[in-house]
Amino acid sequence: MLHFTGPEVLKECITRSDKEIGGYSTVSLDWDPQEKAAHFHGNLSLDLPPSRPEVQRSGYAMFRTRDPPKNFLDEETYWDWQTLSHVALRVKGDRRKYFVNIQSKTALPTEIHQHRLFLYNPGEWEVAVIPINQFLLTHWGRVESLQEIEKDKVRTIGIGLLDRRYGPFSLYVDWIKAISDDEAERYIAEGRARAAKSTNPELLLEKRVAEARKKEMEL
């Protein structure tokens, strides 16, 4: 879906932030020649716009793929993931709480499916693997229902930050793709080996949460 092999790939994405509602967060998606990857970065602010009293909450930044073009009949087009089971991302991030966002055909255009992007080795490259059926349908950051993604009606994918914390953020992204069970098992095995070396209490807790979720899916 995305492989940032050069700066030209950045044109396939758009960035958004709370500046759309008068907020003060900044966001950029640049090409980093040293890492040879895209760099999603900026500064998150929770300050509310004084001239917009109707805005009660602020503080988000994100990027996503552009809407797919319509076909020759002027109909919407989609990615078809019916034979795939997981989303995988090769990333290098900090300790902020990022989410993977997937937009599919839903009742409201502002509804998206989200899942936490767990990073076990901040500051190092790693591959995160997320079962597609574990994404939750949300509306403006709040869980709406347990409705699963229509895997043959996927429109966009991206990464967002809305952890309610002031300050800078930095996440490098090499690629994002939808994969099969076999590919997922390989990446998961590699990730377990790396995560087992971590001694950070926060990361160990997140690892236990992720493992518990995996066991639940196996029952």
Side-chain angles (χ1 to χ4, degrees):
M1 294 173 291
L2 275 176
H3 190 186
F4 292 104
T5 55
E8 66 281 355
V9 183
L10 299 175
K11 297 177 182 178
E12 298 178 17
C13 301
I14 62 171
T15 59
R16 300 180 64 181
S17 75
D18 55 52
K19 281 191 174 181
E20 298 173 340
I21 58 172
Y24 300 96
S25 297
T26 62
V27 60
S28 297
L29 185 67
D30 308 320
W31 169 254
D32 188 295
Q34 183 174 350
E35 295 288 351
K36 295 183 178 179
H39 188 199
F40 172 55
H41 63 103
N43 190 82
L44 205 68
S45 172
L46 310 184
D47 293 343
L48 300 176
S51 60
R52 303 262 322 257
E54 74 278 10
V55 176
Q56 299 297 313
R57 184 173 179 175
S58 187
Y60 68 86
M62 56 84 74
F63 80 88
R64 67 167 175 84
T65 54
R66 294 183 180 275
D67 294 333
K70 294 183 178 182
N71 63 20
F72 69 97
L73 296 176
D74 200 36
E75 298 171 330
E76 301 290 348
T77 59
Y78 306 92
W79 282 316
D80 188 346
W81 294 358
Q82 291 183 92
T83 61
L84 305 172
S85 58
H86 295 70
V87 171
L89 312 88
R90 185 172 186 264
V91 294
K92 175 182 176 181
D94 51 23
R95 297 185 185 278
R96 303 296 295 261
K97 295 181 179 180
Y98 299 93
F99 284 82
V100 180
N101 303 323
I102 296 176
Q103 185 181 32
S104 61
K105 188 175 182 180
T106 56
L108 299 173
T110 50
E111 291 179 328
I112 58 173
H113 282 82
Q114 293 185 308
H115 194 286
R116 172 78 183 276
L117 176 57
F118 288 101
L119 301 180
Y120 298 113
N121 298 281
E124 299 179 16
W125 283 103
E126 58 187 295
V127 176
V129 180
I130 307 170
I132 294 173
N133 61 8
Q134 287 189 11
F135 280 78
L136 297 177
L137 183 65
T138 66
H139 184 253
W140 293 111
R142 293 181 172 85
V143 175
E144 289 285 290
S145 73
L146 300 179
Q147 176 185 329
E148 292 189 7
I149 296 172
E150 288 192 55
K151 297 205 305 187
D152 61 337
K153 294 288 191 296
V154 177
R155 290 185 53 77
T156 69
I157 191 167
I159 298 174
L161 177 69
L162 60 164
D163 61 1
R164 307 297 297 162
R165 287 172 47 200
Y166 285 92
F169 61 91
S170 174
L171 180 75
Y172 295 94
V173 184
D174 183 6
W175 48 254
I176 303 174
K177 57 186 178 181
I179 60 176
S180 66
D181 282 328
D182 290 341
E183 288 180 284
E185 285 300 321
R186 176 168 61 86
Y187 286 129
I188 289 171
E190 294 172 355
R192 283 175 178 165
R194 286 193 299 271
K197 299 177 183 179
S198 175
T199 58
N200 183 288
E202 180 182 350
L203 299 181
L204 290 174
L205 175 61
E206 291 183 351
K207 180 178 71 173
R208 287 195 292 268
V209 171
E211 289 174 346
R213 287 178 175 172
K214 185 177 185 298
K215 288 180 180 179
E216 289 177 359
M217 296 302 299
E218 292 173 347
L219 295 177

